[in-house]
Amino acid sequence: MNDFWSAASGLMVLFGAIISLFSAFGLIRLPDVYLRSHAATKSATLGVLFILTGAFLYFAAVQGQFSIKLLLGIVFVFLTGPVAGHLNARAAYRTGVGMWDRSVRDDLKAALKKEREEAESKRTELIRRSEAD
């Protein structure tokens, strides 16, 4: 039975390494910051999760050691990887980093325009109120 778990955990680690390799190629080959962010967050997170899960299975099933540190690492990477990628892409968009010229959708443009208009109307309302006092 240990041979099965050793092989299963080895395959998970190998699969995670292959996905991480594809992520590295995506970071090099993709044309803009938004697509690179996609490669860095989705596939790299998935690759790291497979590697950590394979290591957790190996230590739990083969070595008989339950590692809470590996479980915490899995949860931490699962939660923080996509959030960090989203925040980086959103910061790039808000600072005016251009999209690839062949991009066909810009879903954030209308929402950002509306947000800026609301902020400007609140600002003018505050100025008007302060001048009235």
Side-chain angles (χ1 to χ4, degrees), residues 51-96:
I51 292 171
L52 289 176
T53 304
F56 177 78
L57 284 177
Y58 177 78
F59 285 117
V62 177
Q63 298 290 324
Q65 298 174 353
F66 184 81
S67 176
I68 193 73
K69 290 179 184 178
L70 281 172
L71 278 179
L72 288 174
I74 290 168
V75 170
F76 181 76
V77 169
F78 182 72
L79 293 176
T80 60
V83 172
H86 172 76
L87 291 176
N88 285 336
R90 192 168 175 102
Y93 189 86
R94 286 178 176 265
T95 57

Side-chain angles (χ1 to χ4, degrees), residues 10-75:
L11 286 174
M12 287 189 82
V13 169
L14 179 65
F15 189 62
I18 290 170
I19 291 175
S20 296
L21 181 67
F22 288 148
S23 176
F25 287 146
L27 285 173
I28 294 169
R29 301 282 301 168
L30 291 173
D32 69 348
V33 68
Y34 308 106
L35 295 173
R36 288 179 182 156
S37 174
H38 178 77
T41 56
K42 291 208 179 201
S43 58
T45 300
L46 186 64
V48 169
L49 288 177
F50 268 107
I51 292 171
L52 289 176
T53 304
F56 177 78
L57 284 177
Y58 177 78
F59 285 117
V62 177
Q63 298 290 324
Q65 298 174 353
F66 184 81
S67 176
I68 193 73
K69 290 179 184 178
L70 281 172
L71 278 179
L72 288 174
I74 290 168
V75 170

